[in-house]
Amino acid sequence: MSDLPAVSREWHLLNRPVGWPKPEDFALVEAEVPAPGEGQVLVRNTYLSVDPYMRGRMSAAKSYVAPFELGKVMQGGAVGEVVASNAEGLAVGDHVLHFFGWREYAVVAAAHAVKVDPQAAPLPAYLGVLGMTGLTAYAGLLRTAAFKEGDAVFVSGAAGAVGSQVGQIAKLKGASRVIGSAGSKEKVELLVEEYGFDAAFNYKDGPVAEQLRAAAPNGIDVYFDNVGGEHLEAAIGSLNEGGRIAVCGMISVYNDTEPAPGPRNLARLIQTRGRIEGFLVGDHYDLQPQFVQEVGPWVRAGRLKYRETVVEGIENNLEAFLGVLRGDNTGKMIVKL
């Protein structure tokens, strides 16, 4: 341990944000770097993940995962290098994926660290395209939305880490048409020109329902919802008979201080025999081996493309997270230490 730093910088949550998180709700502090105990490893984090769901953990409301504790370091996905080991099966120099991000160094139980191969894929990929976000896209589309060949698919937040993979997986598996929405002209062009979407539109250019009808004149069979709000109502309006909606996220309402109005056209589900179902990736980890087996070769062959927005420095971790909420990122937002 003598050649390791005595302190590690880490982000603490000081106050539970009301509405948009503010810098004063957080603090970057120094903490002592402990030696790993029995069955533990010390990891020097090299890449950290920031994700929309973290906003929910900043509030005290009961949810599917415990809220962050005030005055303590936050958590998130990370990949790093083992620099000290007190555990069988993990040696100094190994790279691992774990859930103790928002910090430079982390003591991790070996049982909670997944060894990853930097030769098989770049390390940041294990936080995105081959990690939790990729599995989210795969499970939500194929299991929750029960996608089948020939379906017309609409994806909101389609230039994000999850949405961009949903659209590409649908195309690779034989969708008749894939439509995406995004928040800028550049992202719309990316969806069509690089990710192979059949159509895309900027939701800021006009009513989503009108733009969706123009992009999908024959309706949609699957809607993968990352946004909620106006997008969800528009999708219900364009849903074909037997259509399915998989609700992954609703980033448009995460910072609202008042309840968002629900879709006004839910009665249309009766006519279409449509189905709306929410899902969490944690319920679908049984698909992980199948996911890596199928998607890994697509990534290596360049058939499934992905983008990352990389922000450098632990001191910019908070700004990177706020950028995700604003939609600044194209693809997966990664913090490089």
Side-chain angles (χ1 to χ4, degrees), residues 80 90 161 310 322:
L90 288 177
V310 179
L322 296 175

Side-chain angles (χ1 to χ4, degrees), residues 119-144:
Q119 301 303 316
L123 286 175
Y126 293 104
L127 294 175
V129 67
L130 292 177
M132 186 176 72
T133 49
L135 182 60
T136 301
Y138 189 86
L141 177 68
L142 301 183
R143 179 176 279 173
T144 306

Side-chain angles (χ1 to χ4, degrees), residues 102-187:
W102 289 86
R103 68 198 85 186
E104 292 176 305
Y105 285 80
V107 171
V108 184
H112 297 148
V114 178
K115 194 172 175 179
V116 296
D117 183 1
Q119 301 303 316
L123 286 175
Y126 293 104
L127 294 175
V129 67
L130 292 177
M132 186 176 72
T133 49
L135 182 60
T136 301
Y138 189 86
L141 177 68
L142 301 183
R143 179 176 279 173
T144 306
F147 170 85
K148 58 185 185 297
E149 188 176 352
D151 280 344
V153 177
F154 172 44
V155 188
S156 59
V162 173
S164 58
Q165 275 192 257
V166 171
Q168 291 183 84
I169 292 171
K171 288 291 290 182
L172 286 163
K173 285 190 160 287
S176 61
R177 189 166 179 79
V178 174
I179 304 104
S181 74
S184 73
K185 179 176 179 287
E186 293 74 20
K187 289 181 179 181

Side-chain angles (χ1 to χ4, degrees), residues 240-301:
N240 290 332
E241 186 172 314
R244 290 89 63 206
I245 295 174
V247 181
C248 176
M250 292 194 173
I251 197 169
S252 71
V253 301
Y254 283 173
N255 294 303
D256 288 357
T257 55
E258 297 293 328
R264 296 166 295 182
N265 56 350
L266 279 173
R268 197 166 183 278
L269 293 177
I270 304 168
Q271 171 192 342
T272 61
R273 288 72 133 188
R275 171 169 64 82
I276 301 180
E277 184 177 339
F279 76 98
L280 297 171
V281 67
D283 296 333
H284 301 282
Y285 282 131
D286 62 295
L287 289 176
Q288 179 76 22
Q290 175 184 323
F291 159 68
V292 172
Q293 185 177 17
E294 185 166 24
V295 176
W298 287 341
V299 173
R300 285 191 290 274

